[in-house]
Amino acid sequence: MRAQDHRPGPHLTVSDTNEAIAFYTDVFDAVAIQRECLLDGRVLHAELAVGGHRLTVSEWYEAGMASAVESRDDVLTIERTDPESVLRRAVAAGARVEPPADPSRQVTLRDPAGLCWAVVGPQRAA
């Protein structure tokens, strides 16, 4: 059993926070810890727990942002006991699989917000 990691995690900037939270909840089993909403109901900022780690999702949009997110090379890695199942759920929820750059690299997926994820199985003890 792992201890919960309470350090600040990655801060993800997306154009639609509600959509991103729904994707991370459905695909990665994320749990919302905190949400800050605007009067119109949009989520401005949310802190999520994913597999014992925390991440922050916030909304920010201006012209050209979608293409800026698409061009990012950052890859977030998430560990799951059944990565193939997570990959299938991600694709069903709108993610795109990106083939590895070379045979030694793992497959990544790009979520609907344009962020790249690598889903890996549990680390085996040596």
Side-chain angles (χ1 to χ4, degrees), residues 72-126:
R72 289 182 53 180
D73 290 331
D74 301 340
V75 177
L76 300 159
T77 301
I78 186 165
E79 182 181 301
R80 287 289 177 249
T81 56
D82 186 3
E84 292 82 15
S85 172
V86 173
L87 184 62
R88 283 191 300 275
R89 287 195 329 244
V91 170
R96 293 188 327 262
V97 174
E98 296 195 340
D102 62 63
S104 65
R105 302 211 44 202
Q106 60 199 10
V107 174
T108 59
L109 61 91
R110 193 169 292 274
D111 70 25
L115 300 166
C116 268
W117 296 84
V119 182
V120 299
Q123 297 284 329
R124 292 196 173 115

Side-chain angles (χ1 to χ4, degrees), residues 12-17 58-72 113-115:
L12 311 179
T13 305
V14 298
S15 61
D16 187 331
T17 307
S58 65
E59 190 163 308
W60 177 65
Y61 184 81
E62 67 181 47
M65 184 197 144
S67 61
V69 170
E70 287 284 332
S71 66
R72 289 182 53 180
L115 300 166

